[in-house]
Structures are given as C-alpha cells and as structure tokens.
C-alpha cells in the first residue's frame, strides 16, 4: 500500500517542491489548505481551519507521516506586537491542532517531521560554529523557535518519532531571500549589508526537500537537525558570489546598519546578524548534499 504523507504549508516555496519530490518518490501526498477540499492531479488538498479547530476528516485517513511547514513569514512585515503574536500563534496553534487530532483519533503516525529554524541560535556577527547542542539565544526569533519546537515535541508523548529540521536561508529563484538579494544586484544597486561579516547559513531548496524525504525514509532519524549547507558564507561573500553568477558589478558601498534599522526596525536583526551553523550531525547520519558550495547552488538556480 502506498504510504500517505500529509503536508501543512504545502503551497509555499518549500512545500510545492517537496510535494513534487514526494510524488515522484511514489508517496500519496495530501496538503492541508485553507481553501476547499479538492483533487489536483495526484495530490489531494484538504481544508483545515486552525482558528475553528477543524480538519477535513479525510486528511488524516490512512496517514503515515505529517510534514509540518506552516507558519507566517517572519520577514513579511514589521514586527509590531500584533505581528509577533501572529508569527508565534501561526506555528504553535496549528501544531497543537494536529497533535490534538492525532491523539484524539489514536492515529498510528510513523513520524511527525516539523520545520524549525536556525533562528534558535540568535543573530550576531560572530564566527563560532553553532550545533544542535548550542544554547538558545535570548531574542524574539529564538523564542519563536523555542515554543514552536516545544509544540512539535508533544508528539513524542504519543510515541511518535519526531524530527525537527532547523532550516537556514532557503535558496530558490521562485521566492524567498535569494530573490530579494538578487533583485537590487540585477539593477546595479546590490551591496553587502552592514559590516558584511555576518554569516549566512543557507540551503538549496532541493537539498532541503531531500532532507525531509531522508527523514521519512530513515526510521532512526529523530530530534533536531540543522538543515543547512556545510559551507555558510558571510553576507559580503554571498553578495559578491551572487553578483558574479549574475554577471553584474557591485558598484555601491555597504548599506549602513543605521539605515536598515530605521527602515526595518527590530526586524533588521535578521539581515544585520546571522550565525555560522554546522550540519555535521545530518551528514554523519548519512545525508549527502547535492550542492556542496554556494557557487554550485547559484549556478544550478540560475542555469
């Protein structure tokens, strides 16, 4: 019998590619959506309403795995108190709803695999490596990740294998950070941000989706994993490499930190800081990256 994978956040940048990858690998894929339940090709879309606490009962029928990607974008708008609340609750309330339904219906789920984020380690300019055992930072994004992981780890109490993918900066030309970085470069207005020395721990979307597939297919995989590339680079190096691949010069000096703080407010910490994150654990447990460095990844994305 074909195993069924249910994805939340399946219509986003990662979810779309992951849906295609799982379908190609022979899985039956269901996507939880706020739209009406429907079929589209080989993928089933099921309605859910987190506020109302409802999920189409067909979504959980015969499900073997849940991949939880849902969460309001942290860089979509300024961090007002209301926006901060949305960012947190979009993650914790949705995860709790899934937990409650799985528990109440006593569904024998094989694994719950949740997105998480390297924001747990904080944003700073240091070059020391962060591992899965590194301490939790003391800022807003770290708090988001802490309560998000706490919600996901409830599945362990149901004896369900639980995996946390602490995702870095996802590279894809269809959206996300790369699109925002490349746009000014293409217009001859690209420049490193702040000092440019802050580390960017990135991952090609294809490798990230392969990590989720790897987590499904390996029963011993559990707990947190840093879902990043082995070779993080500084913001200055990232900007220069992107410009080179796009064949554009960098004509402007670095964007001053105070300008970014004035424009973005507290959210400026995302681009002015970073962390140098190690993925040694996932490599040691058998995952192999398809893209070994930034140049390879960008050449693939812009081919």
């Amino acid at each position: 019998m074909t195993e069924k994978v249910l994805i939340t956040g399946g219509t986003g940048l990662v979810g779309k590619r992951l849906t295609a990858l799982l379908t190609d690998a022979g899985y039956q894929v269901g996507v939880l959506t706020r739209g009406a339940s429907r079929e589209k090709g080989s993928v089933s879309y099921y309605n859910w309403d987190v506020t109302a606490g409802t999920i189409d009962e067909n979504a959980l029928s015969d499900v073997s795995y849940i991949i939880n990607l849902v969460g309001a974008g942290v860089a979509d708008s300024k961090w007002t108190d209301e926006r901060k609340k949305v960012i947190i609750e979009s993650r914790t309330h949705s995860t709790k709803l899934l937990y409650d339904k799985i528990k109440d219906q006593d569904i024998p789920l094989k694994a719950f695999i949740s997105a998480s984020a390297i924001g747990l380690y904080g944003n700073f300019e240091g070059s020391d490596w962060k591992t899965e055992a590194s301490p939790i930072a003391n800022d807003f994004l770290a708090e988001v990740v802490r309560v998000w992981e706490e919600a996901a780890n409830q599945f362990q109490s149901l004896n369900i294998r639980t995996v946390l993918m602490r995702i870095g900066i996802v590279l894809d030309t269809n959206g996300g950070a790369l699109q925002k970085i490349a746009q000014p470069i293409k217009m001859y207005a690209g420049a490193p941000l702040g000092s440019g020395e802050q580390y960017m721990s990135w991952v090609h979307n294809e490798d990230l989706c392969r990590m989720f597939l790897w987590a499904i297919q390996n029963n011993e995989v559990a707990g947190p994993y840093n879902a990043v590339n082995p070779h993080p680079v500084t913001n200055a190096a990232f900007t220069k490499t992107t410009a080179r691949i796009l064949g554009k010069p960098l004509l402007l000096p670095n964007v001053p930190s105070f300008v970014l703080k004035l424009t973005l407010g507290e959210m400026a910490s995302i681009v002015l800081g970073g962390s140098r994150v190690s993925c040694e654990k996932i490599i040691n447990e058998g995952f192999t990256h398809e893209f070994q460095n930034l140049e390879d990844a960008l050449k693939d994305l812009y081919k």
Side-chain angles (χ1 to χ4, degrees), residues 2-13:
T2 305
E3 290 185 308
K4 180 176 175 181
V5 182
L6 186 65
I7 305 176
T8 73
T11 57
L13 190 69

Side-chain angles (χ1 to χ4, degrees), residues 135-241:
I136 297 172
N138 185 28
D139 60 26
F140 170 63
L141 283 185
E143 178 61 14
V144 171
V145 182
R146 186 189 69 76
V147 295
W148 194 9
E149 290 194 352
E150 206 171 71
N153 278 328
Q154 290 181 97
F155 283 84
Q156 292 178 352
S157 68
L158 304 178
N159 292 318
I160 292 170
R161 180 167 67 89
T162 305
V163 184
L164 305 168
M165 288 292 181
R166 292 176 180 167
I167 301 171
I169 299 164
V170 181
L171 301 191
D172 195 303
T173 50
N174 294 313
L178 182 59
Q179 205 174 59
K180 290 175 181 174
I181 293 167
Q183 193 172 6
I185 292 173
K186 289 175 181 177
M187 297 169 70
Y188 300 94
L193 305 177
S195 71
E197 294 304 305
Q198 66 275 31
Y199 269 89
M200 298 176 66
S201 292
W202 59 274
V203 62
H204 190 303
N205 196 14
E206 187 71 18
D207 273 338
L208 176 59
C209 292
R210 289 176 57 247
M211 287 176 187
F212 280 103
L213 179 61
W214 172 82
I216 283 177
Q217 294 177 335
N218 292 276
N219 293 330
E220 69 284 357
V221 169
Y225 291 86
N226 290 333
V228 293
N229 186 271
H231 301 293
V233 296
T234 63
N235 177 266
F238 191 103
T239 308
K240 286 172 186 170
T241 304

Side-chain angles (χ1 to χ4, degrees), residues 118-124 130 135-139 141-142 273-276:
I118 61 170
L120 189 75
Y121 309 123
N123 287 305
F124 55 96
K130 300 294 180 182
I136 297 172
N138 185 28
D139 60 26
L141 283 185
S275 53
R276 195 182 191 192

